[in-house]
Structure formats: C-alpha cells, structure tokens
Amino acid sequence: MTPQSLGVAGRGTTARPAEVALLASVFVVAACGLVYELAAGALASYLLGDSVLQFSTVIGTYLFAMGLGSWLSRHVERELVALFLRVELAVGLIGGLMPAALFAAHSVLPAGGGASFRALLYLLVLAVGVLVGLEVPLVMRILKRHFSERYALKELVSQVLTFDYLGALAVAVAFPLLLLPQLGLVRTGVLFGLLNAAVAVWALWLFRGELARWRANALACAAVVLVLAGAMVGADALTSWAEDRFYGDHIIVRESSDYQRVVVTSGPTGVRLYLNGNLQFHSRDEYRYHEALVHPALAAHGAPRKVLVLGGGDGMAVREILKYPSVEQVVLVELDPQILALFRDHELLRRLNADSLHSPKVTVVQADAFTWLDGHDGEMFDAIVIDFPDPTNFSLGKLYTTTFYERVDRHLAASGFAVVQTTSPLIARRSFWTVVATIEATGLAATPYHAHVPSFGEWGFVLMGRRPWQPPRALPPGLRFLTVEGMPALLQFPPDMARVSAQPNRLSNQVLVHTFEEEWGKVHE
C-alpha cells in the first residue's frame, strides 16, 4: 500500500515515512484511548451496577480530563517528541493495567471497596484522560514543526482528526463484538497498552536523531513493554486470584458471555451462581426461592397445561413446574445461551435442576423476553413465571415496566396467573412496592407475598392475573418448604415491610432502577 493510498499526502506530493508513521499513530492512540474509556465503563457497570449511570459518569469524567490534557499541552514548548514518547508510555502503562488494577482492588477492598473503589476508578480515568488529551495536540505540533512546508492548518487538522475518528470507530465496533468476548477486560486493556508502547518505540526509532536522552528513553520503552507483556501472560492468573479472593469458595466455572460474567463456586456449604458478582442462588436454600416462585401461581390454577418461563435459564423453576402431571409444554425464553449451555451440560448443575432442560416437555428459546413476547401474539399460557435478575440497570429495568407487564397480560389465559420475583421488601421496600404499583397500573390484580430465603433474607414476589388469587387447596408432593397451611402467612407484611406509596415504573421514566440503586446502595456503604 502506497503512502498516497493512505490519504496522507499533502498538496499533491508523496508523504514521507515519518508522516505516515505519525498519522498512523493517531489512529492507534485514538483506538487505545477509547478502549480504556469503554473498559472502565464496562468494569464499573459490572461491579457497581446501573450501567447507564456508570458509563455516563465515566465518559463525562474522561472527556473532561481529555479537555484538561489538551489545555495543558499549550504550556509545552520544547522536546515535543520526547514528551509524546513519555505520554505514550504513561498512558500505555496506566490505561493498559487499569482494568486489572480495578478488578484486583474490588477483590481486595472490604465489601468491594465502596467509596475507596470509586475514588480509585475516577482517579485512574482522570489520569488516562489527561494523558490521552495531550496526545493529539502533540502529534499536530510535531507534524507542523517537521513538515510545515506541506501542511496548511486546515489540512493538518483534517488529516489528524480523520485518523482520530477512524481509530475510535474501529474500536467502537470491535470492543463489544470481538475484544470483550474473546479477550476479556483485563487482556483487552493490556493489549492496547502494548499498542501505546509500540507507538512510543516507533517514535523512538523515527526521531532517534533528535532525542537527547535516547538511551534513557529506550530503557523506559523496554521496561514498559516488559511489564505489559508480563501482565498479558499473567492475566488469567490475576483474574483467577481476584475472583478466588472475592468469592471465597472454589470456583468451578468462570466465563464471560456476551451479556455478563458468569461464576459458579462450590464449597462445603454448597454451590453458588453469581452473575456480574451478584448471587443468583445457593444450592443450600434455592428450593425455598423456587418453590415460593412457582407453586403459588401454578397450584392456584389447578391443572396448568402450558407454562411460559421468562429468564430462569438455570432450569430450577422448570424443575418445579415439571412436578405438575398436567403440564404438557414448558417454553423457556432465556437471553444468554451460555447460561443455557452451562445448566444443560455441566454434570453438577444438571443434578441441581434435575435435568429439567433435557425434558421432552421443555422448549428452549434463546431470545430477549421483551422482544419475544411482542413477536408471539396469540400464543397463550396457563401460567407465566418471570425470573429475571434484579433491575440494576435500564436494560433489566425495562423488564419491570408497565409496557412489559402489558405484553405478559396478552399471553396470559383468562384463568391463569403470572408471577415475578421482586427483590427484598425489607431492604428495598420502595422498589418492591413500585413493582406492585406497576402491575396494578396495567389493570391486573396484584397479590404481593414474601418468603425467607437465608442466602437473601426476606424476598418478595408478586402474583398477577385477571381474577383475584386464592390460596390453593393442594400442592405437589415432596415440597421441602411450602405447605398449604403455611401459604396464607406469606401474604402478611409486618410494619417494616408494609406498603408504601410508589409510582409505576414506565419505559419513559425507569424510576425503579434509580430507587433500586439507592436502596441497595445503602447496604454496601
């Protein structure tokens, strides 16, 4: 490929190798800068919840820091190349190791660190942003100083910004589709740190004749490359160490899907499933949760034949549903194919769900529940079991809105009931009653209840249907928690969990996400 084909020739003349190298470095540094920004936002959303809030604050802080770095560049008059080289090494080292440092800090700091972790996060984002803000102004000035006869100001700005935006575009596409699924956050950060270091080595060679302390700069380049190469080799060990320390028990599964970080642990007390660091079940007492989730709805129907499960890819709810001889078909809609594969194929996890995902009565659909409901009008179910993660972000919060429950209503038989897990009415009292108000706003009759699950504490559920719910007269045999006699007690709410005023959660406001973050955030302070 000729320099002209790269689009870097000025005023009809052939571009020099140094020009090509500098403009290519703009592409690389733009790509690296965006990766660090995306990695920080993704890691913050994984560890702190509320992805919109975390991405917004991380991006805002990063852009402010870039502006500060650009402003600081005006005070640099001499040794532009030397400064550019040092900036590349610094941003490569700090930005490249930032995901690993944050991941390790979250595991070491008590309860994830709280304010200490946030302070470290934004300090690192500020540092990387300032350094990235210095890069492009320095490249522009180096080009202008060395090739002033070839560039008018408008041509210089156009060339540099074109390569800058192309680099950002390339990474914006590659980060979610290729980098994160294949490399993970830690390796992705280190890889782009090495690219920044490569730009520094490139500058060291291109401008070797004008660098006063060439040997010192060469040693600095070698040191940074060695540190980052070591981090790349040790990325898996670091991730394993951090997760082992954070989760405590022996980790038997650790993998990242397109949607979440999945960790399964096994210890003396049993098996636990974590999604993005949040406990989803403990084998010691998950039967309490799943019996409370499934049986009040299905037993009240009497003889359900066709049941829909939204979420619940672990197969535990399906296990309980298959205890009804009348059930002929269960449709399970789960977004994450890796969760389905894990609980369908892993021997230990198959035992936990009693091989429910292999039942001929079960049809598994890998799809977004919100979209699937909208595309299957006319398909009716005697019972619908909704087992989603808590509304920690807006993508999950949409599954707790009036719009979503209206779609559920369209698929519910006249005599049927739907049920949704609804966080803790003790810890997140307003969040719980917000879901109740949301269901009532759709015109469905809502019946809130709660059960004690030791791993979670008091946990809430809400039944919904077109007719009032009545306690069932019989339950399937062999249940370990629920009884017909004890079921009315689940509907009693003591004063500290009693109903409070709450507005419905709608797509247009997503008040539940804010309320949930506020209430659960106090627990971790």
Side-chain angles (χ1 to χ4, degrees), residues 316-334:
M316 307 294 188
V318 176
R319 178 196 66 201
E320 298 300 317
I321 292 167
L322 292 175
K323 293 178 179 178
Y324 291 82
S326 63
V327 170
E328 299 173 359
Q329 182 184 13
V330 180
V331 178
L332 170 64
V333 180
E334 165 65 45

Side-chain angles (χ1 to χ4, degrees), residues 145-215:
R145 178 168 294 185
H146 287 78
F147 309 106
S148 58
E149 78 283 359
R150 294 165 50 76
Y151 285 106
L153 179 60
K154 65 178 182 179
E155 293 172 335
L156 176 64
V157 172
S158 172
Q159 294 278 29
V160 171
L161 292 184
T162 296
F163 277 77
D164 184 66
Y165 295 146
L166 286 174
L169 173 63
V171 161
V173 174
F175 184 80
L177 300 179
L178 178 64
L179 297 171
L180 198 56
Q182 298 300 320
L183 297 178
L185 281 171
V186 173
R187 284 186 181 275
T188 296
V190 175
L191 172 63
F192 280 80
L194 284 168
L195 289 177
N196 271 125
V199 170
V201 172
W202 204 348
L204 179 72
W205 181 80
L206 284 173
F207 297 99
R208 57 193 179 279
E210 68 177 78
L211 286 169
R213 293 179 292 277
W214 189 90
R215 185 179 297 275

Side-chain angles (χ1 to χ4, degrees), residues 234-387:
D236 288 340
L238 171 66
T239 302
S240 299
W241 169 82
E243 288 184 330
D244 288 342
R245 186 178 178 92
F246 180 75
Y247 294 109
D249 287 340
H250 173 62
I251 295 177
I252 59 174
V253 175
R254 62 175 106 231
E255 56 189 44
S256 295
S257 73
D258 291 342
Y259 306 99
Q260 56 207 342
R261 179 68 174 173
V262 181
V263 173
V264 180
T265 68
S266 179
T269 61
V271 176
R272 293 180 174 94
L273 168 68
Y274 295 87
L275 300 180
N276 291 340
N278 298 311
L279 179 66
Q280 302 302 303
F281 74 74
H282 191 312
S283 62
R284 176 183 58 193
D285 53 27
E286 58 80 15
Y287 67 90
R288 281 179 161 249
Y289 171 89
H290 290 104
E291 286 184 13
L293 174 69
V294 169
H295 296 296
L298 270 71
H301 182 279
R305 293 188 304 108
K306 191 174 180 181
V307 182
L308 174 65
V309 181
L310 303 175
D314 54 36
M316 307 294 188
V318 176
R319 178 196 66 201
E320 298 300 317
I321 292 167
L322 292 175
K323 293 178 179 178
Y324 291 82
S326 63
V327 170
E328 299 173 359
Q329 182 184 13
V330 180
V331 178
L332 170 64
V333 180
E334 165 65 45
L335 177 63
D336 194 338
Q338 285 185 237
I339 290 289
L340 291 169
L342 186 62
F343 283 88
R344 185 182 58 238
D345 301 331
H346 195 285
E347 183 179 354
L348 175 59
L349 303 178
R350 287 175 61 179
R351 289 202 300 268
L352 289 178
N353 64 30
D355 251 350
S356 63
L357 298 183
H358 288 267
S359 169
K361 295 182 178 181
V362 177
T363 301
V364 176
V365 179
Q366 190 265 307
D368 175 79
F370 197 93
T371 305
W372 188 90
L373 287 174
D374 197 40
H376 288 76
D377 281 344
E379 193 165 356
M380 306 300 291
F381 297 89
D382 299 314
I384 300 176
V385 177
I386 305 169
D387 191 17

Side-chain angles (χ1 to χ4, degrees), residues 43-65:
L43 192 59
S45 65
Y46 281 179
L47 301 178
L48 301 177
D50 193 351
S51 59
V52 173
L53 174 64
Q54 305 309 330
F55 267 102
S56 295
T57 54
V58 165
I59 290 172
T61 303
Y62 185 81
L63 292 175
F64 164 77

